[in-house]
Amino acid sequence: MSLFSWLLPRKKPSLNPAQQQRLAQLTAPAGLNEHTLRAQRWVVVDLETSGLDLNRDQVLSIGAMVIEDGAIDLGQAFERTLLRTDNPLSPSVLLHGLGPSAIAAGCDPVDALLDFMAFVGDSPLLAFHAPFDQHMLGRALKDSLGYRLQHPFMDVAALAPMLCPQVNVREAGLDYWIKHFNLQVEDRHNASADALATAELALILFSRLRAQGIDSPHALQQRLNQWQRRKQVHSF
């Protein structure tokens, strides 16, 4: 592959009639409302990517868990490896446990992304370092489906320090919070396991929110926006 091939426009895969029908049937996002945190269905997502370049790297796999009725519903777990046939993948994918056999067993990106958005439905999304996942997922959906991602995305990496101001650690990662709350997490660093760890962390944070009288997704988003604005002001 040419060094500059990443700069060329990507060809949008043509969708077959069945895929076009599935795309048309996707549910529009409901947005954040005044349901209680417990009543809201949340989809906790984690992506494995070929790197950290927002404009060049690709989504390799998607893992997601559902929080509903105040608990993690393991029966609604989602996992897909995206088979990429258009561009060769870096050996770095081995860091994510995605060896040749996993890639060979992967799904067509169009079908995998359609599966995921059908799984999401109208629910808001949670992720650790959500801006990265939101951008990468949004770009993958646009490139593969011509679909614009408009679902609310909330960042657990911002919620944790907001609700734990006594923790004086700059840019604490998911591993730090797992240790801080003594979560028993195995098989880290693949999409499904990281989504499960993020979901467990989110439940702890939701409990703290309710103790502070914040018990709706809308109120949570308002509180988070206020906290982030204050943080930006104090950083100058």
Side-chain angles (χ1 to χ4, degrees):
M1 174 180 292
S2 167
L3 178 63
F4 299 103
S5 60
W6 290 107
L7 302 177
L8 298 175
R10 293 186 181 181
K11 294 182 179 179
K12 178 184 173 181
S14 58
L15 276 60
N16 62 41
Q19 292 169 335
Q20 292 174 2
Q21 183 177 15
R22 292 186 65 196
L23 178 62
Q25 292 173 342
L26 291 179
T27 307
L32 298 177
N33 49 47
E34 294 298 334
H35 289 316
T36 64
L37 293 175
R38 182 182 180 90
Q40 177 66 62
R41 178 182 186 265
W42 302 86
V43 175
V44 186
V45 61
D46 185 85
L47 305 179
E48 298 295 352
T49 63
S50 58
L52 300 178
D53 190 307
L54 290 171
N55 297 312
R56 185 181 68 180
D57 285 307
Q58 301 178 12
V59 175
L60 302 179
S61 66
I62 304 173
M65 296 289 172
V66 168
I67 295 176
E68 195 166 24
D69 293 328
I72 299 169
D73 184 352
L74 296 177
Q76 294 191 63
F78 180 94
E79 184 173 17
R80 293 289 188 281
T81 296
L82 280 63
L83 173 63
R84 291 286 181 180
T85 58
D86 50 350
N87 294 312
L89 294 175
S90 164
S92 65
V93 300
L94 296 174
L95 295 175
H96 304 299
L98 296 175
S101 60
I103 296 298
C107 303
D108 179 284
V110 170
D111 289 326
L113 291 166
L114 285 168
D115 288 346
F116 178 65
M117 293 312 300
F119 174 82
V120 171
D122 65 358
S123 301
L125 294 125
L126 293 168
F128 198 91
H129 292 147
F132 177 81
D133 291 72
Q134 183 177 18
H135 182 96
M136 294 297 289
L137 178 60
R139 184 164 63 83
L141 288 166
K142 183 178 179 181
D143 290 347
S144 294
L145 304 179
Y147 178 91
R148 182 184 177 191
L149 180 65
Q150 295 181 296
H151 290 64
F153 243 99
M154 201 167 294
D155 191 5
V156 179
L159 292 179
M162 181 185 78
L163 295 168
C164 305
Q166 74 281 6
V167 175
N168 188 21
V169 177
R170 185 178 178 85
E171 302 296 333
L174 181 56
D175 285 319
Y176 174 87
W177 292 109
I178 288 172
K179 183 177 180 181
H180 179 79
F181 288 112
N182 295 315
L183 297 176
Q184 301 301 312
V185 178
E186 299 180 359
D187 193 27
R188 279 272 285 111
H189 302 301
N190 67 68
S192 293
D194 287 359
L196 178 59
T198 302
E200 292 178 356
L201 174 59
L203 285 178
I204 293 173
L205 299 176
F206 285 173
S207 177
R208 294 196 172 202
L209 284 164
R210 287 191 293 270
Q212 296 180 17
I214 300 171
D215 196 22
S216 76
H218 181 69
L220 169 55
Q221 185 66 73
Q222 287 185 320
R223 171 71 181 278
L224 183 59
N225 290 343
Q226 293 169 357
W227 179 81
Q228 289 177 322
R229 283 196 295 268
R230 289 197 301 268
K231 186 179 178 181
Q232 289 175 351
V233 170
H234 293 157
S235 66
F236 287 106

